[in-house]
Amino acid sequence: MTDLTGAAAGLRALPPSCGPVRLIAVDGHAGSGKSTFAGRLAAALDGAPVLRLDDLASHEELFAWTERLMQRIIEPLARGATAHYEAYDWTLRRFTEPRELPAAPVVLIEGVGAGRRALRPYLARLHWMDRGAEESWERGRRRDGPGLSTFWDGWTTAETRHFSADPSRPFADALVRELLEGYVMLPGPVSTAMHDQTITHGDQFRPPY
């Protein structure tokens, strides 16, 4: 799949999941390519708005942003209203500039934990970037450089803890694999289970990472 036109058309055809909005999540390990994929998918959706969870998280709350997300983002969108939130500045270490997220027909939410348990009831589709944890983290470390190695050490521990308690991949509708050019989307565990109509005991408890 060298472009995402077909995928975008499929998302537009989904029923709304959060008020009038089709909320589409892009989850995966840090460094797995979520931001790039979400940006390209948004472009294929003629500029669909994207919420980046890095703007809601902070140094003190790497994953404890559920309440902020529900109050500032989900509740307004569910009413068909524009959401307003302050974006976190990772250099200044504080929330700064206010931003808006309109209740567009399709809204993307990308970041580690975008498919978390509390958010899934509001999602029209959950995409999982299908790149392993170690490979993703190594890509992220190379991208950010040695100056953030201490942060990455703490992050990988926190991410592992998060996905152990609240995994996303088993609930993904689609697995996204990055190619040299473009992407390929495979049926996710949820889509496969619905197609097969059966899930074995082993499938339910197979470690997803």
Side-chain angles (χ1 to χ4, degrees):
M1 179 185 297
T2 56
D3 68 73
L4 297 171
T5 303
L11 297 179
R12 289 193 186 97
L14 294 172
S17 59
C18 182
V21 174
R22 295 152 186 83
L23 192 60
I24 310 301
V26 180
D27 204 341
H29 298 291
S32 61
K34 299 179 301 301
S35 297
T36 300
F37 173 74
R40 292 178 180 175
L41 184 57
L45 288 161
D46 300 320
V50 181
L51 172 68
R52 303 195 183 279
L53 291 177
D54 282 351
D55 290 338
L56 296 185
S58 69
H59 285 89
E60 291 73 28
E61 296 179 323
L62 292 177
F63 289 98
W65 39 258
T66 301
E67 184 175 355
R68 185 178 303 118
L69 174 70
M70 300 302 290
Q71 292 180 352
R72 306 304 296 273
I73 304 298
I74 299 302
E75 290 180 9
L77 294 184
R79 301 193 306 269
T82 296
H84 298 83
Y85 64 99
E86 291 74 39
Y88 187 73
D89 188 308
W90 290 86
T91 300
L92 298 178
R93 301 178 72 98
R94 60 184 176 87
F95 289 94
T96 56
E97 56 180 300
R99 296 185 181 179
E100 294 185 349
L101 187 72
V106 181
V107 173
L108 305 181
I109 175 171
E110 72 87 10
V112 181
R116 62 173 43 187
R117 185 181 301 110
L119 186 56
R120 285 197 295 270
Y122 303 94
L123 298 179
R125 185 65 55 88
L126 169 55
H127 294 86
W128 175 265
M129 301 303 295
D130 208 31
R131 177 176 271 121
E134 295 296 336
E135 180 186 355
S136 297
W137 296 338
E138 180 58 30
R139 292 174 82 241
R141 287 177 183 272
R142 289 199 306 270
R143 176 195 65 202
D144 294 343
L148 289 177
S149 60
T150 300
F151 173 82
W152 269 96
D153 291 343
W155 171 269
T156 55
T157 298
E159 182 185 302
T160 300
R161 185 180 299 117
H162 166 72
F163 280 134
S164 294
D166 192 356
S168 295
R169 190 182 189 278
F171 303 95
D173 300 286
L175 303 179
V176 182
R177 294 182 182 173
E178 187 175 0
L179 306 176
L180 290 178
E181 294 186 7
Y183 300 89
V184 61
M185 291 193 194
L186 304 176
V190 168
S191 298
T192 302
M194 292 177 63
H195 180 268
D196 293 343
Q197 297 296 310
T198 58
I199 305 177
T200 67
H201 182 81
D203 288 333
Q204 286 178 305
F205 295 97
R206 183 179 299 120
Y209 313 110

